[in-house]
């Protein structure tokens, strides 16, 4: 046995194997961008440092326990790595503690989960098998050290850790302050130390609510007064155009703007939506961005309902569902609307049942309200066509005017559907996900067309406005190579931001003044915009978004990762681009992005403070009983 001859203690063998394995996984299985040799070096060193940190603790145990400890820690460590990898394939992100506690979602994710597994994932467990095997052998690979030796072995841990942190700080100053940059964290300190960091952050944010006080809400108020010019009650042309009409809000799953006017082998992907966006009765914002983070659909809902940013970590629907809000459904309830949500999934998914109750929806038609059979369901559940069809009777039973939100489901990752229901070819690229994406998009397009017809047939259409919004991207950065093949251009940071554009259309039957707006707007602007169209003045509100129709409304969208788009620039990943051309700006020219970036950071910070500190409990929105300040 070479290991026996080497007389190398198992904890050292484990450190080397586990460290190298982790490096290989970071380097070749995740899609971490490595920009220079220092980053490469840190990426190589940090797994060894982390592995030593975990395994060197064993020197304090007796020989038998040492073996047991090494077996189990290597297994648990590998599982952590494995789950992060699977999660990463779906979200291009790392697990955070709040996401872990979204246990309800785990069961629903099973079908996606299997498609996220790759055969090479077995590599992650090779060293565990070897460590397991060696630990069970007769020859003894444990260590017996005098106390001084143990202290020295532990001291090395701290040296390695300190060395890692110093290198990370050199490579990426302020790394630990920039909490939403999870990829940098993992690249620099490794996934294990990242989790320790995440745990510390979690404890800190819990403490924030307890420590929050009233003065913080004044800071928010002052900031918003200075930055939201249209909050002074300005009424633009479209004020009240949809007064007393029903609002049918459709959240279109995973729909990105690049689908518009695209075709596969000559077949239009979304003929219905292509026409609708340019129809006489439709106002379309072609530069509308999603601003979601880890909470995906639920984040998009949160942004629309509150005009606040979602959190950088976890889904606010989970982490802060009990907070005080001044949400859209509540405001509409107070203005004589009946409010409801239609979504054919478990009511507990994304903790919706709890959040909806808190923010004032009158009804929630979840999976149980629908007849789901093997014939009318695939993928995530009830298919969109059946979903809309079965919803009409509930819509008809509602008191008018109503506000009803529909959340579609069919066009969801992994976008797979039965061949006989598909009316467009698969795309042909190295990404199975992108190849399927067009088929389910086409399906949803057909479902929406039918829904419009059913609304007309049931007499609801004429008295309603229909708002359509994309919730978030469907194709993650992981598929950039295939995306670049489809679009025929390289996916730079600039293009990546462009790809975050999703549909936003307001369809007003009989309007005949349809228009395409170029202004850069985002989900955060939806709440004030809808209230404006409905003729509801909510002057007491605190919103980060602005009415999209207001003349003074600047082009400004802050994405949750700190990127932004304004009239002249697009900023992402530390790079400032010229908005019109996508040219990367350097030196002095790039400085133009700095003040806007500061505003973005400030805005995200203030919005986070509201949520973490539950600050709305200190503010009187003067609207309803539910929003009376409490402490
Ligand atoms: C789940 C559906 C999809 O109910 O809204 O959620 P997503 O994974 O897109 O956040
Ligand atoms: Mn979604």
């Amino acid at each position: 046995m070479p290991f026996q001859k080497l007389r190398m203690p198992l904890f050292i063998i484990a450190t080397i194997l586990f460290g190298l394995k982790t490096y290989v996984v970071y380097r070749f299985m995740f899609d971490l961008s490595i920009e220079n040799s220092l980053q490469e070096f840190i990426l190589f060193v940090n797994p060894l440092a982390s592995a030593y940190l975990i395994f060197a603790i064993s020197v304090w145990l007796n020989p038998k326990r040492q073996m047991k400890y090494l077996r189990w820690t290597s297994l648990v460590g590998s599982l952590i790595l494995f789950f992060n990898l699977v999660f990463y394939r779906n979200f291009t992100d790392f697990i955070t503690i709040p996401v872990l506690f979204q246990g309800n979602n785990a069961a629903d994710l099973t079908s996606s989960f299997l498609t996220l597994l790759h055969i090479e994932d077995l590599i992650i467990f090779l060293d565990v098998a070897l460590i397991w095997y060696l630990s069970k052998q007769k020859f003894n690979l444990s260590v017996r050290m005098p106390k001084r030796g143990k202290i020295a072995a532990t001291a090395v841990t701290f040296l390695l850790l300190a060395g890692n942190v110093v290198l990370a700080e050199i490579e990426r100053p302020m790394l630990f302050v920039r909490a939403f940059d999870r990829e940098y964290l993992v690249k620099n300190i490794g996934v294990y130390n990242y989790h320790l960091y995440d745990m510390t952050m979690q404890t800190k944010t819990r403490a924030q609510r307890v420590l929050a006080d009233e003065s913080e809400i004044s800071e928010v108020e002052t900031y918003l007064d200075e930055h939201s010019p249209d909050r002074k009650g300005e009424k633009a042309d479209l004020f009240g155009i949809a007064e007393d009409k029903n609002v049918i809000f459709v959240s279109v799953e995973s729909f990105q703007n690049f689908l518009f006017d695209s075709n596969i082998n000559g077949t239009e992907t979304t003929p219905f939506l292509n026409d609708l966006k340019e129809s006489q009765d439709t106002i379309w914002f072609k530069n509308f961005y999603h601003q979601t983070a880890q909470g995906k659909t639920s984040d998009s809902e949160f942004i629309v309902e509150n005009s606040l940013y979602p959190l950088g970590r976890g889904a606010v629907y989970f982490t802060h569902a009990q907070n005080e809000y001044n949400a859209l459904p509540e405001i509409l309830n107070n203005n004589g609307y009946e409010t409801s949500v239609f979504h054919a999934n478990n009511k507990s998914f994304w903790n919706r049942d709890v959040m909806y109750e808190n923010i004032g929806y009158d009804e929630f038609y979840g999976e149980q309200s629908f007849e789901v059979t093997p014939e009318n369901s695939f993928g995530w559940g009830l298919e969109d066509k059946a979903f809309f069809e079965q919803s009409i009777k509930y819509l008809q039973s509602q008191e008018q005017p109503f506000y009803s939100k529909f959340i579609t489901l069919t066009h969801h990752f992994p976008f797979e559907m039965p061949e006989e229901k598909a009316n467009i070819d698969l795309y042909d690229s190295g990404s199975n996900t992108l190849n399927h994406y067009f088929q389910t998009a086409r399906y949803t397009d057909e479902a929406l067309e039918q829904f419009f017809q059913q609304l007309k047939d049931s007499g609801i259409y004429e008295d309603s406005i229909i708002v359509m919004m994309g919730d978030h991207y469907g194709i993650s950065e992981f598929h950039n190579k295939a995306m670049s093949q489809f679009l025929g251009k390289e996916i730079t940071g600039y293009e990546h931001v462009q790809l975050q554009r999703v549909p936003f259309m307001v369809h007003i039957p009989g309007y005949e003044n349809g228009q395409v707006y170029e202004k850069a707007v985002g989900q955060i602007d939806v709440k004030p915009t809808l209230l404006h169209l409905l003729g509801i003045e909510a002057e007491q509100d605190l919103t980060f978004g602005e009415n999209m129709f207001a003349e003074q409304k600047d082009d400004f969208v802050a994405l949750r990762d700190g990127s932004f788009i304004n009239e002249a620039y697009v900023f992402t990943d530390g790079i400032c681009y010229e908005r019109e051309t996508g040219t990367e700006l350097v030196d002095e020219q790039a400085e133009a992005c700095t003040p806007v970036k500061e505003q973005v950071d400030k805005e995200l910070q203030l919005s986070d403070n509201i949520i973490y500190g539950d600050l709305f409990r200190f503010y009187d929105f003067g609207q309803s009983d539910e929003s009376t300040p409490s402490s």
Side-chain angles (χ1 to χ4, degrees):
M1 247 301 153
F3 292 104
Q4 193 179 8
K5 282 198 196 120
L6 265 178
R7 292 188 155 271
M8 197 185 264
L10 188 57
F11 92 91
I12 298 288
I13 297 172
T15 300
I16 295 170
L17 290 177
F18 191 91
L20 289 179
K21 178 269 301 276
T22 308
Y23 167 72
V24 169
V25 174
Y26 287 163
R27 191 70 181 84
F28 302 107
M29 294 170 78
F30 284 95
D31 187 23
L32 308 177
S33 54
I34 303 294
E35 288 140 25
N36 55 48
S37 45
L38 178 59
Q39 281 188 4
E40 180 79 66
F41 179 67
I42 296 174
L43 195 73
F44 178 75
V45 170
N46 85 51
L48 290 164
S50 302
Y52 187 85
L53 169 90
I54 304 166
F55 297 131
I57 295 172
S58 68
V59 302
W60 295 90
L61 305 171
N62 70 38
K64 208 169 149 211
R65 290 222 167 146
Q66 275 182 30
M67 295 299 116
K68 200 169 170 190
Y69 174 85
L70 293 173
R71 278 199 294 272
W72 286 101
T73 45
S74 62
L75 178 64
V76 171
S78 301
L79 283 171
I80 293 174
L81 188 63
F82 169 68
F83 284 123
N84 271 289
L85 180 65
V86 172
F87 184 84
Y88 185 87
R89 287 196 182 119
N90 199 9
F91 298 104
T92 330
D93 202 348
F94 297 89
I95 297 170
T96 61
I97 297 179
V99 158
L100 269 190
F101 288 105
Q102 289 160 18
N104 295 353
N105 288 3
D108 304 271
L109 279 167
T110 333
S111 73
S112 306
F113 185 79
L114 291 175
T115 67
L116 294 167
L117 300 182
H118 294 183
I119 184 77
E120 66 267 25
D121 297 352
L122 287 173
I123 294 173
I124 298 179
F125 298 99
L126 283 182
D127 61 326
V128 183
L130 192 56
I131 293 166
W132 208 273
Y133 168 79
L134 290 173
S135 74
K136 297 259 184 191
Q137 296 309 305
K138 288 229 173 57
F139 52 84
N140 196 347
L141 293 175
S142 62
V143 280
R144 272 175 199 281
M145 287 183 177
K147 198 159 178 199
R148 261 195 308 177
K150 291 177 184 169
I151 292 173
T154 310
V156 173
T157 302
F158 290 107
L159 274 179
L160 286 173
L161 259 189
N164 189 179
V165 168
V166 169
L167 279 177
E169 217 24 65
I170 294 172
E171 212 295 297
R172 194 61 63 172
M174 308 255 294
L175 176 70
F176 299 98
V177 187
R178 303 177 60 190
F180 47 78
D181 250 331
R182 278 181 287 274
E183 178 171 326
Y184 286 141
L185 277 168
V186 172
K187 274 199 300 201
N188 283 291
I189 59 170
V191 77
Y192 309 102
N193 290 330
Y194 151 73
H195 283 305
L196 287 178
Y197 170 84
D198 185 51
M199 266 185 248
T200 322
M201 291 301 290
Q202 177 70 2
T203 317
K204 194 177 137 200
T205 50
R206 285 264 162 251
Q208 271 172 321
R209 186 183 191 275
V210 180
L211 299 173
D213 68 60
E214 253 165 287
S215 66
E216 290 181 55
I217 199 73
S218 324
E219 192 192 344
V220 176
E221 226 184 331
T222 314
Y223 175 87
L224 292 177
D225 271 344
E226 284 166 10
H227 289 86
S228 304
D230 70 310
R231 288 181 65 254
K232 313 274 184 285
E234 180 229 4
K235 296 190 178 77
D237 291 350
L238 292 166
F239 183 82
I241 188 149
E243 198 172 341
D244 291 331
K245 293 223 179 185
N246 305 312
V247 181
I248 297 170
F249 184 98
V250 188
S251 168
V252 188
E253 179 60 46
S254 299
F255 197 106
Q256 282 170 260
N257 275 8
F258 75 85
L259 286 165
F260 284 141
D261 302 315
S262 68
N263 72 79
I264 299 293
N265 301 335
T267 307
E268 247 184 302
T269 315
T270 56
F272 175 68
L273 289 175
N274 289 349
D275 287 350
L276 190 77
K277 68 183 169 32
E278 322 236 354
S279 123
Q280 287 288 295
D281 289 349
T282 303
I283 300 165
W284 175 40
F285 283 86
K286 66 188 298 187
N287 292 310
F288 176 91
Y289 292 79
H290 85 81
Q291 294 162 296
T292 63
Q294 290 188 323
K296 305 297 290 281
T297 311
S298 72
D299 273 358
S300 78
E301 295 179 67
F302 179 80
I303 307 169
V304 167
E305 281 144 355
N306 299 290
S307 192
L308 295 173
Y309 292 95
L311 294 177
R313 34 203 304 285
V316 55
Y317 255 50
F318 261 101
T319 56
H320 294 81
Q322 308 294 353
N323 274 13
E324 204 64 57
Y325 294 107
N326 184 42
L328 186 63
E330 217 173 281
I331 298 173
L332 293 175
N333 288 347
N334 292 332
N335 282 274
Y337 276 78
E338 176 161 349
T339 53
S340 58
V341 182
F342 293 75
H343 182 49
N345 196 5
N346 290 346
K347 285 187 164 188
S348 59
F349 200 97
W350 285 131
N351 202 27
R352 284 184 173 108
D353 45 353
V354 178
M355 188 62 155
Y356 286 171
E357 172 96 38
N358 182 25
I359 59 178
Y361 281 110
D362 294 323
E363 286 114 29
F364 177 13
Y365 299 94
E367 192 179 10
Q368 263 130 26
S369 304
F370 299 91
E371 204 183 312
V372 187
T373 65
E375 289 73 40
N376 71 10
S377 58
F378 59 85
W380 274 60
L382 186 66
E383 49 186 78
D384 292 346
K385 288 179 187 171
F387 164 61
F388 285 126
E389 193 182 343
Q390 294 184 33
S391 297
I392 296 287
K393 60 176 181 293
Y394 296 123
L395 267 187
Q396 280 173 316
S397 72
Q398 296 190 132
E399 195 86 34
Q400 301 208 14
F402 56 74
Y403 174 91
S404 295
K405 167 162 78 175
F406 287 79
I407 306 170
T408 71
L409 200 54
T410 303
H411 185 43
H412 191 287
F413 181 86
F415 311 110
E416 281 165 14
M417 63 183 292
E419 216 31 64
E420 71 275 9
K421 292 188 178 175
N423 289 325
I424 190 165
D425 293 344
L426 288 171
Y427 180 57
D428 182 16
S429 75
S431 158
N432 220 11
T433 304
L434 184 66
N435 295 350
H436 283 91
Y437 187 67
F438 300 90
Q439 288 198 332
T440 45
R442 169 54 175 259
Y443 177 93
T444 294
D445 186 72
E446 292 164 6
L448 287 167
E449 182 170 17
Q450 289 184 10
F451 183 44
F452 268 61
Q453 194 52 50
Q454 286 150 0
L455 289 174
K456 286 175 187 165
D457 295 346
S458 57
I460 297 171
Y461 180 77
E462 298 296 327
D463 300 322
S464 310
I465 65 165
I466 300 149
V467 181
M468 243 174 293
M469 185 190 88
D471 59 352
H472 49 74
Y473 66 81
I475 302 296
S476 72
E477 278 173 283
F478 206 71
H479 307 277
N480 268 359
K481 211 169 146 201
M483 268 311 292
S484 140
Q485 176 192 331
F486 180 75
L487 298 175
K489 54 184 162 190
E490 193 198 340
I491 311 297
T492 58
Y494 171 82
E495 289 300 339
H496 171 72
V497 172
Q498 298 292 76
L499 282 170
Q500 306 315 305
R501 285 178 298 184
V502 296
F504 186 72
M505 303 177 203
V506 181
H507 183 77
I508 309 174
Y511 177 55
E512 293 191 349
N513 256 325
Q515 213 182 321
V516 180
Y517 281 81
E518 304 269 341
K519 197 182 271 189
V521 291
Q523 289 170 332
I524 205 134
D525 301 312
V526 171
K527 178 184 172 191
T529 306
L530 283 183
L531 289 174
H532 184 83
L533 293 173
L534 297 177
I536 298 172
E537 293 178 68
E539 280 173 56
Q540 282 282 48
D541 210 353
L542 294 178
T543 66
F544 284 91
E546 295 170 38
N547 167 21
M548 299 176 199
F549 297 108
E551 293 246 333
Q552 304 102 305
K553 162 87 181 86
D554 296 325
D555 287 50
F556 174 72
V557 187
L559 304 187
R560 183 57 250 200
D561 66 358
S563 307
F564 70 78
I565 302 95
N566 75 357
E567 205 181 349
Y569 308 104
V570 167
F571 177 90
T572 189
D573 252 342
I575 302 175
C576 186
Y577 299 88
E578 192 173 61
R579 173 145 175 236
E580 203 167 302
T581 59
T583 313
E584 188 176 326
L585 299 174
V586 286
D587 304 329
E588 268 154 50
Q589 280 189 311
E591 292 295 308
C593 277
T594 313
V596 193
K597 172 67 181 151
E598 279 163 12
Q599 185 192 336
V600 168
D601 291 345
K602 171 92 186 163
E603 201 149 291
L604 291 171
Q605 182 66 56
L606 287 176
S607 179
D608 283 354
N609 290 352
I610 293 173
I611 298 167
Y612 286 130
D614 192 5
L615 296 185
F616 281 180
R617 66 195 151 127
F618 300 125
Y619 192 78
D620 184 3
F621 290 94
Q623 295 258 0
S624 69
D625 297 331
E626 282 145 295
S627 54
T628 315
S630 61
S631 50

